[in-house]
Amino acid sequence: MEALRSTARIIVRYRVAFALIAIFLLVVSIYGIQNLRFESDLRSMLPEGHPAIDDYTTLQNEFQSGDSTIIVVKVSSIEPGGVYDVRDPQVIQAIYELEQRLLQREYVTDTISIADIYMQVLGRLPENEEEAKFVLDVLPPETRNQLVSRDYTTTMIVVTISREKNSKTLVRVYEGIQEDINDVKFPKNVEVIQTGNIGITYRILELLQSDLNKTMAISFIIVLALLLYFYRSPVKALIPLTPLVFGVAMTLGAMGLLGIPLDLATTTIGAMLIGMGIDYGIHVTNRYYEERKRGRTIEEAAEEAIAETGKALLGAALTTVAGFAAMYLSSLPMLHNLATTLILGLSLAALNAVVITPSVIILEEDVMKKLKGHYEVPEIRSHSGFVGKAFRSLGEAVRRKPFAFLGAVFLITLIFGYGVTQVTTEVRLEKFVPKGMPEIEALMDIRSDFGGQDELYILVKADDVRDPTVVRSIYRFENQIKADTYYNNVFDSESIADIVVQKYGYIPDDREKIKEALKDYQGVQLVSSDYSMTVIKFTGDFSGSSIDDFRKIIRYFEEEVQNAVFPPGVSLSLTGDIYLNYVLDQLTNEEINRISMYGTVFVVVIVLLLFRRPKVSLAMITPMFLGALWTVGFMGLAGIPFTQTLAGVISMIVGLGVDYGMHLTHRFLEEMNEGNPRPIVTSIESVGPGILAGALTTAGGFLALLAGELPTIHDFGLTLAFGIFASMFAAYLVTPALLQVFYGKKIGGDAE
């Protein structure tokens, strides 16, 4: 404690120098903010060196596959003077013109549409609607249904893309294709929408950028409004907010300088830091005003505030960091980035709270003295009026009947315990886009009208895939999968075996004939340059169903690949964007338990090392366990699934939730050591309002995430806000009750 008092005196004495250093770092951070980048590539969410990543990279490099965009062309209205059928020659002409424009782009490798059918059959585009209808009518139904909906109001252009997998090229590709769409004049009543993997990912990137700015602004407004209520003065409300602004700016600047991207998880960092970081400034400010009310000078009050809250703040910061640090044990890079930014942000917030806050408080008091001619003893709402009376009553109630409070907690835990059994996971990228978005609606149209356009690839490796036995095995495997379409939702397939059968009507034993068939083929590349690899491409509705059905479908493919009969030396593996989603789902399920367990262990160890008293530690950490348990139960009851973003949420709640019990316990021990006969009442009455203000502002920052448009951001904000309130209520109900039970007789309490 003496070391903290010495540090406090140094901070107060040299506050101006510390403030100038902080301002310099703020300027550097503003430069770093300009270098921030956004990332939504699925591969960046998976660990480096994972076999699924290696196979996916092979798919990209060797076959220029695994990435595509779908352009939906549909008749969206029946206004007079427009077209009512996609077989109208004007529509077909526009589609053909769009294809020609797209093929001029260096990243477009192939396009498929109904216009291609007419060019193959007629050698030209149809000149009238009767001719257009005739060509489609003579096609086999399964071929026709792949291109045009049964009511002839919707068709699509499938565009195969070859590009580097990063957000900058994705934006360039999407905007280039959109530019071509806008430049082509489609007839009246026709709507053209770009969807598929690129369209959805682009929309997520766009929403990430808007959500970051929106949620940060709203969280600031919420926090400021709460501070205005508690401190009754705009100037005093800015005191705990000022160091927070420094901390948030420094964190974002560091992300830009260190190259940490803003992704589905780290986009929430601004609102989260505003919510969490304000807690530190509030505790220092509240203790300062409490000491000033007792008659201390401004320097004495500042030193006392830093010294007395310092240990609790240090413990709170260390336990929070310990909870977040557990995310480093995850194999998911996204959680590593989130852990880094949260630890950095909260460390800066805590540091700024004890270094900047005294400077701002004393500066404000000095200015007010010059304006009014005297120092004015501050009066804050949280220690008076209804709030003050409520906490005094709570303290008295806990002192008299601690077991009644523990019984109420047990009943609450039973309810949320049921919710724990209802929790699911969800990692599919398309589920992160709000319902009603044109890209999602178009994707739903594709699934209902065309049976889906999800692509799943089987990578086949052999000495030479043109070997007749290999080609024959591919053909047999492919048809076996297609025969199970009722179970696997396969709509179509494509392989080198199909090319050979199309040319000869069978698979010859002569390897030279197979080479000739493949040499003459002009479609999408299906064979690697050295003929050591080929792909079997399956198209269907794989991810449009429920998450459980999605898993069953991919597990079906895994089993079929594992049990496939191929010649010795031939290996098969699943790959593609759809399979990466599945791998991420499996990893997320594994990471949730591991991160939560290690996060809890880390926090418990920190608490035990700091306080070295089992009873005291138990009183501190019990609300943490309950807050985490209630939060998971809430997710189950509310239907909020675990996502890659929420995989570390329990570890985060554990790190944050212990703070409230720690502040109450620390003040209880301080009062008990000073001989206070009613330390429970005093600790709840004095620290309780600060915890409430901190929890409200923290939850307010998290609830600001509800203003974002991405569903995963909504869920993240709502879950964390509930976790904060759950931890706060658990601390109010459990920590004082346990302390009263443990120390009631020693202090002369009358616990029943």
PDB file of all heavy atoms in Angstrom, residues 634-646:
ATOM      1  N   PHE A 634     -28.788 -17.358 -20.597  1.00  0.00           N
ATOM      2  CA  PHE A 634     -29.543 -16.341 -21.335  1.00  0.00           C
ATOM      3  C   PHE A 634     -29.426 -16.544 -22.839  1.00  0.00           C
ATOM      4  O   PHE A 634     -30.418 -16.420 -23.570  1.00  0.00           O
ATOM      5  CB  PHE A 634     -29.020 -14.949 -20.952  1.00  0.00           C
ATOM      6  CG  PHE A 634     -29.493 -13.846 -21.858  1.00  0.00           C
ATOM      7  CD1 PHE A 634     -30.792 -13.370 -21.781  1.00  0.00           C
ATOM      8  CD2 PHE A 634     -28.631 -13.292 -22.805  1.00  0.00           C
ATOM      9  CE1 PHE A 634     -31.233 -12.353 -22.621  1.00  0.00           C
ATOM     10  CE2 PHE A 634     -29.062 -12.288 -23.648  1.00  0.00           C
ATOM     11  CZ  PHE A 634     -30.367 -11.809 -23.546  1.00  0.00           C
ATOM     12  N   MET A 635     -28.225 -16.879 -23.320  1.00  0.00           N
ATOM     13  CA  MET A 635     -28.044 -17.130 -24.748  1.00  0.00           C
ATOM     14  C   MET A 635     -28.944 -18.268 -25.221  1.00  0.00           C
ATOM     15  O   MET A 635     -29.573 -18.195 -26.278  1.00  0.00           O
ATOM     16  CB  MET A 635     -26.577 -17.460 -25.040  1.00  0.00           C
ATOM     17  CG  MET A 635     -25.628 -16.299 -24.867  1.00  0.00           C
ATOM     18  SD  MET A 635     -23.890 -16.779 -25.088  1.00  0.00           S
ATOM     19  CE  MET A 635     -23.868 -17.206 -26.832  1.00  0.00           C
ATOM     20  N   GLY A 636     -29.007 -19.332 -24.410  1.00  0.00           N
ATOM     21  CA  GLY A 636     -29.860 -20.463 -24.768  1.00  0.00           C
ATOM     22  C   GLY A 636     -31.321 -20.097 -24.776  1.00  0.00           C
ATOM     23  O   GLY A 636     -32.068 -20.452 -25.698  1.00  0.00           O
ATOM     24  N   LEU A 637     -31.768 -19.354 -23.774  1.00  0.00           N
ATOM     25  CA  LEU A 637     -33.175 -18.966 -23.673  1.00  0.00           C
ATOM     26  C   LEU A 637     -33.562 -17.947 -24.746  1.00  0.00           C
ATOM     27  O   LEU A 637     -34.694 -17.948 -25.234  1.00  0.00           O
ATOM     28  CB  LEU A 637     -33.463 -18.392 -22.282  1.00  0.00           C
ATOM     29  CG  LEU A 637     -33.316 -19.373 -21.101  1.00  0.00           C
ATOM     30  CD1 LEU A 637     -33.458 -18.634 -19.777  1.00  0.00           C
ATOM     31  CD2 LEU A 637     -34.348 -20.493 -21.198  1.00  0.00           C
ATOM     32  N   ALA A 638     -32.624 -17.073 -25.116  1.00  0.00           N
ATOM     33  CA  ALA A 638     -32.898 -16.033 -26.105  1.00  0.00           C
ATOM     34  C   ALA A 638     -32.637 -16.488 -27.538  1.00  0.00           C
ATOM     35  O   ALA A 638     -32.883 -15.739 -28.484  1.00  0.00           O
ATOM     36  CB  ALA A 638     -32.049 -14.792 -25.806  1.00  0.00           C
ATOM     37  N   GLY A 639     -32.101 -17.712 -27.718  1.00  0.00           N
ATOM     38  CA  GLY A 639     -31.818 -18.213 -29.058  1.00  0.00           C
ATOM     39  C   GLY A 639     -30.608 -17.571 -29.704  1.00  0.00           C
ATOM     40  O   GLY A 639     -30.509 -17.503 -30.928  1.00  0.00           O
ATOM     41  N   ILE A 640     -29.663 -17.081 -28.899  1.00  0.00           N
ATOM     42  CA  ILE A 640     -28.430 -16.477 -29.425  1.00  0.00           C
ATOM     43  C   ILE A 640     -27.374 -17.567 -29.541  1.00  0.00           C
ATOM     44  O   ILE A 640     -26.980 -18.158 -28.533  1.00  0.00           O
ATOM     45  CB  ILE A 640     -27.922 -15.350 -28.506  1.00  0.00           C
ATOM     46  CG1 ILE A 640     -28.944 -14.216 -28.444  1.00  0.00           C
ATOM     47  CG2 ILE A 640     -26.564 -14.829 -28.983  1.00  0.00           C
ATOM     48  CD1 ILE A 640     -28.574 -13.130 -27.452  1.00  0.00           C
ATOM     49  N   PRO A 641     -26.896 -17.866 -30.751  1.00  0.00           N
ATOM     50  CA  PRO A 641     -25.902 -18.938 -30.904  1.00  0.00           C
ATOM     51  C   PRO A 641     -24.482 -18.445 -30.643  1.00  0.00           C
ATOM     52  O   PRO A 641     -24.200 -17.249 -30.756  1.00  0.00           O
ATOM     53  CB  PRO A 641     -26.070 -19.346 -32.370  1.00  0.00           C
ATOM     54  CG  PRO A 641     -26.462 -18.069 -33.047  1.00  0.00           C
ATOM     55  CD  PRO A 641     -27.290 -17.297 -32.048  1.00  0.00           C
ATOM     56  N   PHE A 642     -23.609 -19.369 -30.289  1.00  0.00           N
ATOM     57  CA  PHE A 642     -22.186 -19.048 -30.245  1.00  0.00           C
ATOM     58  C   PHE A 642     -21.686 -18.917 -31.682  1.00  0.00           C
ATOM     59  O   PHE A 642     -21.948 -19.767 -32.526  1.00  0.00           O
ATOM     60  CB  PHE A 642     -21.396 -20.155 -29.543  1.00  0.00           C
ATOM     61  CG  PHE A 642     -21.336 -20.010 -28.056  1.00  0.00           C
ATOM     62  CD1 PHE A 642     -22.053 -20.863 -27.238  1.00  0.00           C
ATOM     63  CD2 PHE A 642     -20.566 -19.026 -27.477  1.00  0.00           C
ATOM     64  CE1 PHE A 642     -22.001 -20.739 -25.862  1.00  0.00           C
ATOM     65  CE2 PHE A 642     -20.505 -18.883 -26.101  1.00  0.00           C
ATOM     66  CZ  PHE A 642     -21.226 -19.743 -25.289  1.00  0.00           C
ATOM     67  N   THR A 643     -20.971 -17.838 -31.971  1.00  0.00           N
ATOM     68  CA  THR A 643     -20.333 -17.646 -33.269  1.00  0.00           C
ATOM     69  C   THR A 643     -18.830 -17.549 -33.035  1.00  0.00           C
ATOM     70  O   THR A 643     -18.370 -17.569 -31.885  1.00  0.00           O
ATOM     71  CB  THR A 643     -20.831 -16.355 -33.945  1.00  0.00           C
ATOM     72  OG1 THR A 643     -20.467 -15.232 -33.103  1.00  0.00           O
ATOM     73  CG2 THR A 643     -22.348 -16.375 -34.117  1.00  0.00           C
ATOM     74  N   GLN A 644     -18.061 -17.411 -34.131  1.00  0.00           N
ATOM     75  CA  GLN A 644     -16.628 -17.224 -33.953  1.00  0.00           C
ATOM     76  C   GLN A 644     -16.340 -15.957 -33.153  1.00  0.00           C
ATOM     77  O   GLN A 644     -15.341 -15.855 -32.447  1.00  0.00           O
ATOM     78  CB  GLN A 644     -15.885 -17.201 -35.293  1.00  0.00           C
ATOM     79  CG  GLN A 644     -16.424 -16.247 -36.325  1.00  0.00           C
ATOM     80  CD  GLN A 644     -17.418 -16.929 -37.232  1.00  0.00           C
ATOM     81  OE1 GLN A 644     -18.421 -17.420 -36.779  1.00  0.00           O
ATOM     82  NE2 GLN A 644     -17.156 -16.928 -38.534  1.00  0.00           N
ATOM     83  N   THR A 645     -17.225 -14.964 -33.252  1.00  0.00           N
ATOM     84  CA  THR A 645     -17.076 -13.729 -32.489  1.00  0.00           C
ATOM     85  C   THR A 645     -17.349 -13.971 -31.010  1.00  0.00           C
ATOM     86  O   THR A 645     -16.667 -13.438 -30.140  1.00  0.00           O
ATOM     87  CB  THR A 645     -18.053 -12.662 -33.015  1.00  0.00           C
ATOM     88  OG1 THR A 645     -17.836 -12.474 -34.405  1.00  0.00           O
ATOM     89  CG2 THR A 645     -17.849 -11.340 -32.297  1.00  0.00           C
ATOM     90  N   LEU A 646     -18.359 -14.794 -30.703  1.00  0.00           N
ATOM     91  CA  LEU A 646     -18.784 -15.020 -29.324  1.00  0.00           C
ATOM     92  C   LEU A 646     -18.056 -16.179 -28.653  1.00  0.00           C
ATOM     93  O   LEU A 646     -18.349 -16.506 -27.508  1.00  0.00           O
ATOM     94  CB  LEU A 646     -20.291 -15.280 -29.284  1.00  0.00           C
ATOM     95  CG  LEU A 646     -21.190 -14.041 -29.397  1.00  0.00           C
ATOM     96  CD1 LEU A 646     -22.621 -14.434 -29.695  1.00  0.00           C
ATOM     97  CD2 LEU A 646     -21.125 -13.212 -28.133  1.00  0.00           C
TER      98      LEU A 646
END
